Amino acid sequence: MAENKEEDVRLGANKFTERQPLGTAAQTDKGYKEPPPAPLFEPGELKSWSFYRAGIAEFMATFLFLYISILTVMGVGRAPNKCASVGIQGIAWAFGGMIFALVYCTAGISGGHINPAVTFGLFLARKLSLTRALFYMVMQCLGAICGAGVVKGFMKGPYQRLNGGANFVSHGYTKGDGLGAEIVGTFILVYTVFSATDAKRNARDSHVPILAPLPIGFAVFLVHLATIPITGTGINPARSLGAAIIYNKDHAWDDHWIFWVGPFIGAALAAVYHQIVIRAIPFRSSRAY
């Protein structure tokens, strides 16, 4: 009888298979190798045409982004009433939709950053060199200035009257409110970028790279819905700089620091959260690969 009971216990213990692993345990891939971190300086990039092609792609993408988005803002501002325009929802769709389209178009060339905060976050995660990061930021800002300038050329009078799509903290909110909105909004965007472009997920699921622009654009859309009433939604220092330079009024510069400090803090927090907490890269041993 004792032997039979032991046999029943042994069979019972093996009756049910081990539970499906969760989280990162379910994402293990024996054939996957963590890519090495990008070098801080890579002088050889300066001799490569692909380096300058990527910068041009960032310039053009940010130019088109500012052109469409600021033109939409101007259209809403010129409408006699909210029902005669696309409203805040339409502005949010314009920003989010353009990011979706432009990330899809440029991801294979430059990575489709279109935002100095995204570039900064990826640099902190060692996804690109300092040389490339600085070059991208300069080209993004130049593209944003040109995009806003073209809009002003189309409608100079309304552009100045309607604040030129510039970002500033709205009445009823403090600078702290605006800074907090920019930090959280940029954190959502950059965290989405990290998750949607995760190299390990790409290796495991072939559909991830194809769908990556969709959640990124949707994140931009949702953040705009939430924060347009507070700051007009920056979460992109190039977008804020381009509009401020072309509009060039004092109140556009009063709060301008918020639209650099906030996005950079949010991007840094997203990079730390994804790399250290979610991916736990500093805590992995070489055996994990």
Side-chain angles (χ1 to χ4, degrees):
M1 289 291 292
E3 291 179 0
N4 290 339
K5 285 184 178 179
E6 288 181 5
E7 182 69 9
D8 290 341
V9 170
R10 186 181 64 81
L11 291 173
N14 297 322
K15 185 176 180 180
F16 301 102
T17 58
E18 188 176 354
R19 281 187 179 182
Q20 184 70 21
L22 301 176
T24 54
Q27 298 176 10
T28 54
D29 190 323
K30 293 181 180 179
Y32 173 76
K33 297 289 185 182
E34 193 73 37
L40 188 60
F41 296 101
E42 196 166 1
E45 287 183 320
L46 301 176
K47 301 176 183 179
S48 171
W49 163 242
S50 63
F51 175 79
Y52 297 100
R53 180 183 64 182
I56 294 170
E58 287 293 311
F59 172 89
M60 283 301 301
T62 317
F63 168 82
L64 294 173
F65 175 59
L66 265 287
Y67 172 75
I68 294 296
S69 57
I70 299 298
L71 204 57
T72 304
V73 172
M74 295 296 99
V76 171
R78 294 184 68 183
N81 56 70
K82 292 183 179 179
C83 295
S85 71
V86 295
I88 288 179
Q89 293 86 350
I91 294 173
W93 274 121
F95 278 88
M98 280 303 291
I99 288 297
F100 166 67
L102 293 169
V103 169
Y104 179 83
C105 292
T106 59
I109 303 170
S110 64
H113 298 188
I114 323 172
N115 184 336
V118 171
T119 301
F120 180 66
L122 293 173
F123 165 70
L124 291 181
R126 302 293 301 276
K127 303 293 185 183
L128 71 166
S129 67
L130 178 62
T131 312
R132 186 176 291 266
L134 292 175
F135 183 51
Y136 277 15
M137 290 181 189
V138 170
M139 297 302 282
Q140 290 158 358
C141 290
L142 291 176
I145 293 167
C146 292
V150 170
V151 175
K152 182 177 180 179
F154 283 164
M155 45 177 68
K156 187 171 184 178
Y159 187 90
Q160 294 298 114
R161 188 174 71 252
L162 299 171
N163 299 323
N167 292 119
F168 47 85
V169 179
S170 301
H171 294 295
Y173 294 96
T174 66
K175 294 185 187 297
D177 296 333
L179 181 62
E182 290 297 305
I183 291 173
V184 175
T186 311
F187 177 91
I188 293 170
L189 169 59
V190 178
Y191 176 45
T192 303
V193 170
F194 273 109
S195 298
T197 60
D198 192 308
K200 190 166 187 177
R201 294 184 65 195
N202 293 355
R204 190 180 72 255
D205 302 322
S206 60
H207 66 276
V208 169
I210 301 173
L211 296 179
L214 182 59
I216 295 171
F218 200 61
V220 172
F221 164 70
L222 293 174
V223 171
H224 275 76
L225 281 183
T227 60
I228 282 177
I230 304 173
T231 61
T233 309
I235 67 171
N236 185 334
R239 172 259 188 273
S240 300
L241 179 67
I245 286 178
I246 300 301
Y247 178 54
N248 199 28
K249 297 292 183 182
D250 288 343
H251 67 279
W253 294 110
D254 290 341
D255 303 328
H256 187 69
W257 64 271
I258 291 173
F259 303 100
W260 283 87
V261 175
F264 274 56
I265 292 176
L269 292 174
V272 170
Y273 177 67
H274 184 267
Q275 296 296 96
I276 296 179
V277 178
I278 300 300
R279 291 295 308 280
I281 288 177
F283 309 110
R284 294 183 180 180
S285 66
S286 59
R287 294 179 182 178
Y289 307 126

